[in-house]
Amino acid sequence: MAGVSTATVTRALSTPEVVRPDTRERVREVAASLGYHPNRAARGLITGRTGNLGLLVPDLANPFFPSIVKGVQARAHEADHAVFLADTDEDVAAEAGLVRKLAKQVDGMVLCSPRMAEPELRKLSAEVPTVLVYRRIPGVPSVTAEFLDGMRQAVNHLVALGHKEIAYVAGPRSSWANRERVRSLRAVTRKAGVELAEMGNVAPQFHGGVSVADRVLAAKVTAVIAYNDLVALGLLHRFAARGVAVPGDVSVLGFDDIPLAEMVHPALTTVALPKEEAGQAGVDLLLRLLDGHQEVRRELPTQLMVRGSTGPAR
Amino acid sequence: MAGVSTATVTRALSTPEVVRPDTRERVREVAASLGYHPNRAARGLITGRTGNLGLLVPDLANPFFPSIVKGVQARAHEADHAVFLADTDEDVAAEAGLVRKLAKQVDGMVLCSPRMAEPELRKLSAEVPTVLVYRRIPGVPSVTAEFLDGMRQAVNHLVALGHKEIAYVAGPRSSWANRERVRSLRAVTRKAGVELAEMGNVAPQFHGGVSVADRVLAAKVTAVIAYNDLVALGLLHRFAARGVAVPGDVSVLGFDDIPLAEMVHPALTTVALPKEEAGQAGVDLLLRLLDGHQEVRRELPTQLMVRGSTGPAR
DNA sequence: TCGCTCCATGAAAAGGTTTACACTGATCGT
DNA sequence: ACGATCAGTGTAAACCTTTTCATGGAGCGA
């Protein structure tokens, strides 16, 4: 319709600088008037790039993840990539299979804090360009946050309030994030001369916090740090039911800063992890990886959000 | 490698019954040992089916939607389809564009309560097979819930508790769901002889509830039904801050039954809408639509969840 | 034994792009 | 005025499947 060959059409659209300006404009106008867009499947066939990214999350119902998905989504669309989403429903066994299935149709994958074992994950990352979000494995590009610094802020805050004995409610043993948090917390409390009572491991969910709340009280601590906000909310819930005042009797501190943290009463003091930013950074790293660059790792800052659930020690 | 042509390979894998059993097995073994899987893009080129579905949600940060996404996701994977996710960030203007971009790469789209204007939506559904979730438009397949019945349960519950004057905090004017809820609520309250005070419209979010809470109190009602749970939680938050007892002074009732509803104190009484089920049903309808069946509409049941935020009228 | 049917398989086209290569005409230097 | 260069464009192959059509051989009835 523009009186040119298909080759010129393709050039006018994807490498505009090589066609004469008037031809280019004509082609583009006709394309627009026809609503023509190149078929991505056909293009992928020859370029080897699909323009699609895969994103894997363990459980979208955990409010931590939707924010990450949003970040990935937004950044990917900016870069004109579409996003395949897979939710494993915390099914570790299914994870690898899902990734492999998706791998065929994408240029690369963003894996969001998978529980998968390290060797498996490493193998996967050799098969398909992969970026890890909130998990770190040597040699695999990853986005994480400064857990150590976050913990330091949290503990310093509690110390400043006069707390000397702190409980930590641990998350799943197989979770990398939990191991990191424990490690950071031990280091920080040792340095601060604070006594640390570890308990758990609980499921990283509301009911996990509910189930461990009574043990926390029995430990006679004046403050408790939870693996994440959901667990902290579970603690708050059970404390309220037992008539334990927060922060009067015990201070509660979470991790993640999910939206709910602000909505409950008392609002939850928590260490905010970058979520949308992490998703965006994940996509950035992945796209750069696809372009041959080899940026290995990015570590984002954390920020203590002081709200109502922490106060002076009893 | 199996000593057969590509044609036989494709047959052995996709229409096994037409090749001789021994050939079939040989091909399959070789395929497995090579880790061969047909390239979906190339297949799509000729079959016209991509095996991909598109899913559009207005805001993944609204806890109502992740559940739906999970449902869509799960059902799609069962049917061996992958899911493209798009989050419009409540940007109505971008919605149609996003859908059109995605439309090229998918067999069909599940549109989750889009704000888009009806004519636009109708046009879109002519361009690409479409199923609407939580929105109904004549002639377009859709999945909704029995709002009227849900409202009846809610109002009957309040009436049984002795409430005679009820406020409704409306959601966005452009939202179909809001219009439905208002319509149902008016019908039900009229029949029950209950006085209805409507206020709003507010954003369907926590801060929407916070911002309207004082007006609700000023209206001197004994119970309030919120557009959705987030708004209800906003109300609870502000009531708590003002020292208004729930349900002592005022009963609060939400809509949706998002996970948070159970986690706050007092736990929120709410009308549960099927979420995962709606997502699954959406995929079911879409797949059936793609097979030429024309199931037009599905309406799922709702269920009042009585929790702590409602009690006898003051 | 002949001809027919039917089953299993192969050859080739088709699907919508991109890209290597070839070609044309104009510009430039001499 | 001639050849070389270069910009702009077209031709055709390639990407990886699926599917239509053709082919060959076996089985069967007469």
Side-chain angles (χ1 to χ4, degrees):
Chain A
M1 280 201 51
V4 296
S5 71
T6 61
T8 302
V9 173
T10 208
R11 282 189 280 252
L13 298 176
S14 50
T15 37
E17 65 278 9
V18 306
V19 317
R20 243 183 29 219
D22 57 335
T23 320
R24 185 202 313 156
E25 283 319 307
R26 190 153 32 92
V27 171
R28 293 193 144 175
E29 275 164 29
V30 174
S33 77
L34 262 48
Y36 169 84
H37 291 276
N39 177 320
R40 295 188 90 137
R43 165 185 293 176
L45 212 49
I46 184 149
T47 60
R49 292 272 294 249
T50 61
N52 297 332
L53 265 34
L55 171 60
L56 184 118
V57 296
D59 182 13
L60 210 52
N62 178 338
F64 182 66
F65 295 110
S67 309
I68 296 190
V69 175
K70 279 190 84 113
V72 167
Q73 232 275 140
R75 189 72 191 79
H77 271 111
E78 280 174 30
D80 206 30
H81 282 242
V83 176
F84 277 115
L85 178 72
D87 179 316
T88 61
D89 236 340
E90 298 276 5
D91 181 350
V92 184
E95 260 183 12
L98 258 173
V99 174
R100 290 217 166 76
K101 228 174 78 179
L102 233 44
K104 309 279 165 185
Q105 331 189 43
V106 302
D107 296 338
M109 302 258 348
V110 175
L111 263 36
C112 199
S113 42
R115 296 271 194 88
M116 212 181 302
E118 186 167 325
E120 182 70 12
L121 209 42
R122 195 186 298 271
K123 202 159 66 182
L124 225 43
S125 91
E127 293 173 29
V128 52
T130 300
V131 169
L132 263 28
V133 172
Y134 282 114
R135 170 135 186 196
R136 193 159 56 225
I137 286 187
V140 184
S142 65
V143 177
T144 56
E146 296 166 344
F147 287 138
L148 182 61
D149 185 61
M151 274 302 181
R152 192 178 297 129
Q153 293 180 51
V155 171
N156 286 349
H157 169 64
L158 291 176
V159 167
L161 289 169
H163 296 275
K164 302 223 167 5
E165 289 166 351
I166 298 177
Y168 174 69
V169 175
R173 197 182 303 274
S174 64
S175 149
W176 177 83
N178 182 59
R179 292 195 299 272
E180 282 301 295
R181 283 169 208 192
V182 171
R183 211 160 53 86
S184 312
L185 189 53
R186 285 186 189 152
V188 171
T189 49
R190 189 175 341 109
K191 191 170 278 179
V194 168
E195 196 148 329
L196 179 65
E198 296 181 31
M199 47 197 67
N201 310 69
V202 304
Q205 279 141 16
F206 185 74
H207 66 81
V210 173
S211 66
V212 80
D214 297 315
R215 281 170 55 203
V216 171
L217 292 181
K220 305 276 179 212
V221 296
T222 60
V224 52
I225 298 179
Y227 166 67
N228 69 10
D229 285 352
L230 283 179
V231 172
L233 292 176
L235 293 174
L236 287 183
H237 189 85
R238 178 68 185 158
F239 290 168
R242 282 196 51 185
V244 175
V246 174
D249 296 326
V250 59
S251 287
V252 177
L253 213 145
F255 224 97
D256 287 354
D257 193 27
I258 59 179
L260 287 73
E262 272 195 299
M263 301 185 189
V264 294
H265 197 86
L268 188 64
T269 296
T270 187
V271 176
L273 301 186
K275 288 169 287 291
E276 294 217 17
E277 296 84 343
Q280 292 178 8
V283 173
D284 282 341
L285 250 60
L286 185 53
L287 292 176
R288 218 163 301 161
L289 187 65
L290 293 174
D291 281 347
H293 302 255
Q294 275 285 1
E295 184 171 347
V296 167
R297 191 168 135 186
R298 185 120 66 172
E299 203 166 23
L300 304 171
T302 56
Q303 174 64 51
L304 177 69
M305 311 298 285
V306 176
R307 302 207 180 96
S309 68
T310 48
R314 189 184 44 218
Chain B
M1 280 201 50
V4 296
S5 70
T6 61
T8 302
V9 173
T10 206
R11 281 189 281 252
L13 297 176
S14 49
T15 38
E17 64 278 7
V18 306
V19 319
R20 241 181 33 216
D22 57 335
T23 320
R24 184 203 312 156
E25 283 320 306
R26 190 154 29 95
V27 171
R28 293 193 143 175
E29 275 164 29
V30 173
S33 78
L34 262 49
Y36 169 84
H37 292 276
N39 177 321
R40 294 187 90 134
R43 165 184 292 175
L45 210 50
I46 184 150
T47 60
R49 291 273 295 251
T50 61
N52 297 331
L53 266 33
L55 171 60
L56 185 118
V57 296
D59 181 14
L60 209 53
N62 179 336
F64 181 67
F65 295 109
S67 309
I68 296 190
V69 175
K70 279 190 85 113
V72 166
Q73 233 274 141
R75 188 72 191 80
H77 272 111
E78 279 174 29
D80 206 31
H81 282 243
V83 176
F84 278 116
L85 179 71
D87 179 316
T88 62
D89 237 339
E90 298 275 4
D91 181 351
V92 184
E95 260 183 12
L98 258 174
V99 174
R100 290 216 166 75
K101 227 175 78 180
L102 233 43
K104 309 280 166 185
Q105 332 188 43
V106 302
D107 296 337
M109 301 259 343
V110 175
L111 265 36
C112 200
S113 42
R115 295 274 194 86
M116 212 182 300
E118 186 167 324
E120 182 71 12
L121 210 41
R122 197 186 296 273
K123 203 161 63 182
L124 224 42
S125 89
E127 293 173 30
V128 52
T130 299
V131 170
L132 264 28
V133 171
Y134 283 113
R135 170 136 187 196
R136 193 159 57 227
I137 287 187
V140 184
S142 66
V143 176
T144 56
E146 296 166 344
F147 288 140
L148 183 61
D149 185 61
M151 274 301 181
R152 192 178 298 128
Q153 294 180 51
V155 171
N156 285 349
H157 169 65
L158 291 176
V159 167
L161 288 170
H163 296 275
K164 301 221 166 9
E165 290 165 350
I166 298 176
Y168 174 68
V169 175
R173 197 183 302 275
S174 64
S175 150
W176 177 84
N178 182 58
R179 292 196 300 271
E180 282 301 294
R181 283 169 206 192
V182 171
R183 210 161 54 85
S184 312
L185 190 54
R186 285 185 190 153
V188 171
T189 48
R190 191 176 340 108
K191 191 170 278 179
V194 167
E195 198 149 325
L196 180 65
E198 296 181 31
M199 47 197 67
N201 310 70
V202 303
Q205 280 141 16
F206 184 74
H207 66 83
V210 173
S211 67
V212 79
D214 297 315
R215 282 170 54 204
V216 172
L217 292 181
K220 303 277 180 211
V221 295
T222 59
V224 51
I225 298 180
Y227 166 67
N228 69 10
D229 285 351
L230 282 179
V231 172
L233 292 176
L235 292 174
L236 287 183
H237 189 87
R238 177 68 184 156
F239 290 168
R242 281 196 51 185
V244 176
V246 174
D249 296 327
V250 59
S251 288
V252 176
L253 213 143
F255 223 97
D256 287 354
D257 192 28
I258 59 179
L260 287 72
E262 273 195 298
M263 301 185 190
V264 294
H265 197 87
L268 187 64
T269 296
T270 188
V271 176
L273 301 186
K275 289 168 286 291
E276 294 215 18
E277 295 84 341
Q280 293 178 7
V283 173
D284 282 340
L285 250 60
L286 185 52
L287 292 176
R288 219 164 299 163
L289 187 65
L290 293 175
D291 282 345
H293 301 254
Q294 274 285 1
E295 185 171 347
V296 166
R297 190 169 135 186
R298 186 121 65 172
E299 204 166 23
L300 303 172
T302 56
Q303 174 63 51
L304 177 70
M305 312 297 286
V306 177
R307 301 206 181 97
S309 68
T310 48
R314 191 182 43 216

